[in-house]
Amino acid sequence: MAKRVLPARETGLFVDGAPAAKAIAGYRANIDGGSRGNPGPAAYGVVIRDPKGDVVAKLKKYIGRMTNNVAEYYGLIAALDYVQSQNIKALRIESDSELLVKQMRGLYKVRSPELQPLFERARKMSETLESFRIDHVYREQNREADALANQAMDEVEAAAPKSAKLAAIPTPKPETRGPLGEVRKIRARFRSGVLYLLEDVDLPDGIEVDVLLRLLPPKS
């Protein structure tokens, strides 16, 4: 008599492949986080759909001066918090952040001190669900969540006092050549004691720059 071979049982919440054998009709959440400056003004957006595919919630929130990765985790936690509050037991997360997805699946270690507590919180929250899955999707498939995050940042930017608009300009150094000596004019906004750059300067961490502040008249 041939020996019956049972299928291997999936272990853990964060593994690649199909979800556990116990099928549960679940909700789906698309999450996204953005930062203008990285770190800079940041927000998250979340779109949650029921098992039929109907949108049941749209969440967005400005979270202050953060990095993109921190904002992504805030979006994940917001989605988990929503399903817990609604007593939903099954959730599939879709995110265009490969880092977040692979960290939650245990494929990447969480080395960042600012991400570690957020990862631990998200992991513990996900473990309270009967079914949890997280998948990476391309940005084009995550446009609604991305739009919500940008809306949250736009709303805060629009509400900032116009009289506080500043321009941040690195001090010219004519004798210096190359990328590190490049002079660039960057628009910025001052709010609550912090100068926020309004565009990505793409500079390495730890670099120092000279900044000349020039007050601009409010737009009419």
Side-chain angles (χ1 to χ4, degrees):
M1 181 176 179
K3 184 178 179 180
R4 183 183 179 187
V5 179
L6 297 176
R9 183 174 181 179
E10 187 180 85
T11 59
L13 291 172
F14 315 115
V15 294
D16 281 306
K22 183 181 178 181
I24 303 176
Y27 283 62
R28 175 165 60 93
N30 285 83
I31 66 171
D32 195 35
S35 172
R36 295 175 180 173
N38 201 31
Y44 66 76
V46 179
V47 179
I48 300 177
R49 290 178 169 82
D50 65 15
K52 296 180 181 179
D54 297 328
V55 175
V56 295
K58 290 185 177 183
L59 314 174
K60 62 180 179 180
K61 187 174 183 180
Y62 176 78
I63 58 174
R65 184 177 176 83
M66 304 287 180
T67 65
N68 284 334
N69 291 332
V70 168
E72 295 279 2
Y73 266 99
Y74 269 87
L76 172 59
I77 291 170
L80 289 166
D81 183 67
Y82 176 86
V83 298
Q84 283 188 342
S85 69
Q86 301 299 313
N87 200 32
I88 295 167
K89 298 300 183 182
L91 177 66
R92 175 183 176 184
I93 295 287
E94 292 184 347
S95 168
D96 58 30
S97 170
E98 184 177 2
L99 177 72
L100 179 143
V101 171
K102 290 195 173 182
Q103 285 181 340
M104 288 297 293
R105 286 183 167 185
L107 302 175
Y108 285 175
K109 291 184 178 180
V110 183
R111 303 182 187 278
S112 168
E114 64 179 1
L115 295 184
Q116 186 66 45
L118 299 173
F119 165 77
E120 291 295 339
R121 182 178 175 186
R123 181 183 62 81
K124 290 177 181 178
M125 293 176 74
S126 67
E127 288 176 345
T128 66
L129 303 177
E130 294 179 19
S131 176
F132 177 81
R133 175 172 173 171
I134 184 165
D135 293 315
H136 178 262
V137 296
Y138 292 108
R139 183 170 296 275
E140 293 75 17
Q141 300 169 272
N142 217 35
R143 285 178 292 186
E144 290 180 273
D146 175 73
L148 285 172
N150 278 286
Q151 286 175 19
M153 287 184 279
D154 290 342
E155 289 168 0
V156 171
E157 181 178 319
K162 291 184 178 181
S163 60
K165 293 181 180 179
L166 299 176
I169 310 174
T171 301
K173 294 183 178 180
E175 72 283 359
T176 309
R177 295 290 184 270
L180 292 182
E182 179 184 1
V183 177
R184 296 176 58 188
K185 183 177 180 180
I186 305 297
R187 294 190 62 82
R189 177 168 289 116
F190 185 79
R191 183 175 63 252
S192 301
V194 179
L195 185 67
Y196 295 98
L197 300 184
L198 300 183
E199 59 183 274
D200 189 357
V201 296
D202 193 25
L203 294 175
D205 290 341
I207 195 170
E208 295 184 3
V209 297
D210 294 324
V211 178
L212 173 64
L213 299 181
R214 183 179 64 188
L215 184 64
L216 298 179
K219 291 182 179 179
S220 57

